[in-house]
């Protein structure tokens, strides 16, 4: 595990198993760490306990790595385990505290580190997630072929458009000097040509979905309506697929 704080240097040991003589040499080569320095190294009680346990394992002829691996086998990441064993150890002696080398911090796995995943350095990972995660959901739903519908997000069905127009006209008439209300009314009137297109888009998506359903009965691959998941023409297309009792896909986005 890598951390931001540095722990005191450890003694260099031979890769071979240590004989009693070799163990004595390795023990003598460990730099003595004052107790107050250990306590000052940021909540050192647990790290000192871990260091004492590691030292006791060495003296018993066991491997601290193997011990920690077997103790943490219940964790899928192999990061935890062994804490209960440390808690059941007898209190360290003054000599053990003097010789124990505290363990460094154990940061979370990188794929669980929300600070890292939200950082600039992990931007490419987030972009990959935007591709892979929807792909996994589409595959789970059996969606392979998509017909995308593009159009204005300002389009409204006839009833909704007429209601919005009446509201805008009343607001502009209440205060003729209100330039914002007048501009809003003018903008809404220019969108009148989109009203019949809303109905056409909805009908087209419904017919496409019905055609796709017939393909499925003939043993052919289906086609699914796809939009940007927003209002206007996108809403019309999704509504048409819903009227045909078929699926539709909305690829939503978040604008910066």
């Amino acid at each position: 595990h890598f951390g931001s704080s540095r722990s005191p240097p450890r003694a260099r040991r031979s890769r071979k198993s240590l004989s009693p003589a070799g163990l004595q040499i390795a023990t003598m080569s460990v730099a003595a760490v004052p107790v107050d320095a250990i306590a000052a190294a940021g909540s050192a009680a647990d790290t000192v306990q871990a260091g004492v346990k590691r030292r006791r394992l060495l003296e018993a002829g066991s491997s601290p790595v193997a011990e920690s691996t077997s103790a943490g086998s219940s964790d899928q990441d192999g990061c935890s385990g062994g804490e209960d064993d440390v808690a059941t150890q007898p209190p360290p002696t003054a000599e053990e505290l003097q010789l124990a080398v505290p363990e460094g911090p154990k940061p979370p796995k990188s794929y669980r580190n929300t600070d890292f995943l939200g950082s600039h350095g992990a931007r490419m990972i987030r972009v990959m997630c935007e591709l892979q995660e929807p792909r996994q959901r589409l595959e789970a739903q059996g969606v392979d072929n998509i017909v995308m519908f593009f159009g204005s997000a300002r389009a409204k069905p006839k009833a909704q458009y007429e209601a919005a127009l009446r509201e805008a006209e009343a607001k502009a008439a209440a205060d003729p000097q209100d330039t914002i209300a007048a501009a809003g009314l003018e903008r809404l009137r220019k969108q009148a040509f989109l009203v019949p297109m809303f109905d056409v888009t909805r009908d087209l998506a419904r017919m496409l979905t019905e055609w796709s359903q017939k393909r499925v009965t003939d043993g052919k691959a289906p086609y699914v309506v796809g939009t940007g998941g927003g209002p206007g023409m996108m809403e019309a297309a999704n509504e048409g697929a819903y009227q045909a009792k078929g699926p539709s896909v909305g690829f939503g986005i978040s604008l910066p």
Side-chain angles (χ1 to χ4, degrees), residues 3-18:
S4 58
S5 61
R6 300 181 58 186
S7 39
R10 301 184 181 184
R12 295 185 177 180
R13 298 189 295 270
S14 171
R15 292 180 180 272
K16 299 180 181 180
S17 59
L18 296 176

Side-chain angles (χ1 to χ4, degrees), residues 167-234:
E167 182 180 354
E169 289 175 343
K171 188 175 181 180
D175 185 4
Q177 304 299 323
D178 189 348
T179 58
I180 297 179
L185 175 60
E186 182 65 19
R187 182 169 57 252
L188 190 59
R189 285 173 174 171
K190 291 181 179 180
Q191 298 172 8
F193 76 99
L194 294 173
V195 174
M197 294 185 181
F198 186 98
D199 298 333
V200 170
T201 302
R202 179 182 55 206
D203 295 340
L204 177 60
R206 176 180 52 79
M207 291 187 290
L208 172 66
T209 304
E210 293 171 346
W211 168 78
S212 175
Q213 292 169 342
K214 292 179 181 179
R215 285 177 56 86
V216 174
T217 59
D218 295 337
K220 299 179 181 179
Y223 284 80
V224 178
V225 170
T227 71
M233 296 303 185
M234 296 173 282

Side-chain angles (χ1 to χ4, degrees), residues 57-162:
L57 289 172
L58 284 174
E59 293 174 351
S62 302
S63 171
V65 176
E67 179 71 15
S68 61
T69 302
S70 61
S73 58
S74 59
D75 190 345
Q76 61 180 357
D77 293 324
C79 294
S80 63
E83 289 82 2
D84 294 338
D85 295 339
V86 174
T88 58
Q89 291 286 328
T93 64
E95 182 181 0
E96 287 177 327
L97 288 175
Q98 188 75 7
L99 297 177
V101 178
E103 292 185 349
K106 293 183 178 180
K109 291 288 187 180
S110 57
Y111 52 83
R112 293 181 177 177
N113 190 333
T114 55
D115 292 336
F116 165 70
L117 293 177
S119 66
H120 177 74
R123 184 173 183 272
M124 184 55 65
I125 298 176
R126 297 195 300 272
V127 171
M128 293 173 63
C129 290
E130 291 293 331
L131 299 175
Q132 186 62 28
E133 193 271 345
R135 175 185 176 182
Q136 182 173 322
R137 279 193 287 152
L138 292 175
E139 290 178 348
Q141 296 295 326
V143 177
D144 190 29
N145 302 308
I146 298 177
V147 178
M148 291 298 298
F149 281 69
F150 296 92
S152 173
R154 296 184 176 89
K156 297 178 177 60
K158 183 177 181 180
Q160 185 178 349
Y161 174 79
E162 291 177 348

